Amino acid sequence: NEGIEIYSNNYEMKAFKKIGVGVVTGGLTGGFGINGEFNLEPANALFLGVGRGEAYNSFNFGWKYNFESQYLSPYTKVGYGKWFNNNSGSGSANSNDILKRVLSDKEIRENKFGTNFIAGGAGLEYNQIEGDLSGVNFYGELLVMTDISKVTLIPTGAVGLIYFY
């Protein structure tokens, strides 16, 4: 192998490479953010992220279950996210479809809010398991989010890139 990393599947790679850092858009993060993943074992991981949208900041965390595969592997996840804004002067919550579904007219008008989401969903990731770029992970996911104080199901999706160390 002459120094080139080669793993037989995603479980073997994630058993060796425990920490991943990357970027994401959509989903629990909202607009755009930075995410991390910590492989507790090859199948189970904790994720966390921070993000920013036009009228809010966000953070999220949760649990992810990976299914064993080679390059393309499915996964499921469940998590918590908080979207908030305390600065009424920047952006408008009215421009975000998800926030329009969960905020009151007063919260949108004043642009000061904090909303708590629970989400669950599934995704598909491409794992680079061999070569100089082993550890690169591209993913796409579909989630259903709900505001904790309301029972409104909101479908959403996300795409991202993580590099595992």
Side-chain angles (χ1 to χ4, degrees):
N1 296 342
E2 299 182 18
I4 296 176
E5 295 180 64
I6 297 177
Y7 303 101
S8 61
N9 58 39
N10 65 327
Y11 275 12
E12 187 179 335
M13 182 195 73
K14 290 183 179 191
F16 183 73
K17 296 185 175 223
K18 299 282 188 183
I19 297 174
V21 178
V23 294
V24 62
T25 184
L28 275 173
T29 303
F32 184 78
I34 298 170
N35 61 340
E37 195 169 304
F38 304 97
N39 295 314
L40 302 174
E41 56 185 47
N44 293 291
L46 296 176
F47 67 86
L48 61 93
V50 294
R52 176 141 177 75
E54 184 177 339
Y56 60 92
N57 295 308
S58 68
F59 68 87
N60 65 77
F61 60 88
W63 172 76
K64 177 179 170 186
Y65 180 82
N66 297 293
F67 294 92
E68 186 173 13
S69 185
Q70 285 187 319
Y71 293 98
L72 285 176
S73 57
Y75 64 88
T76 58
K77 70 187 325 185
V78 62
Y80 166 83
K82 180 159 184 87
W83 295 14
F84 58 94
N85 187 5
N86 294 323
N87 182 2
S88 62
S90 65
S92 170
N94 196 37
S95 65
N96 185 287
D97 290 333
I98 292 175
L99 290 174
K100 285 194 304 190
R101 295 178 74 174
V102 298
L103 297 179
S104 69
D105 290 337
K106 180 183 178 192
E107 289 171 316
I108 290 174
R109 188 173 49 257
E110 292 177 357
N111 206 32
K112 290 187 179 184
F113 58 87
T115 186
N116 299 292
F117 292 107
I118 296 291
L124 187 65
E125 61 186 20
Y126 169 80
N127 300 288
Q128 181 62 38
I129 58 175
E130 60 185 40
D132 292 333
L133 295 176
S134 67
V136 171
N137 176 295
F138 296 99
Y139 67 92
E141 61 191 24
L142 296 175
L143 300 168
V144 176
M145 296 174 28
T146 186
D147 185 337
I148 292 174
S149 64
K150 300 174 178 70
V151 183
T152 305
L153 298 178
I154 305 165
T156 187
V159 293
L161 164 74
I162 295 180
Y163 181 75
F164 285 95
Y165 297 92

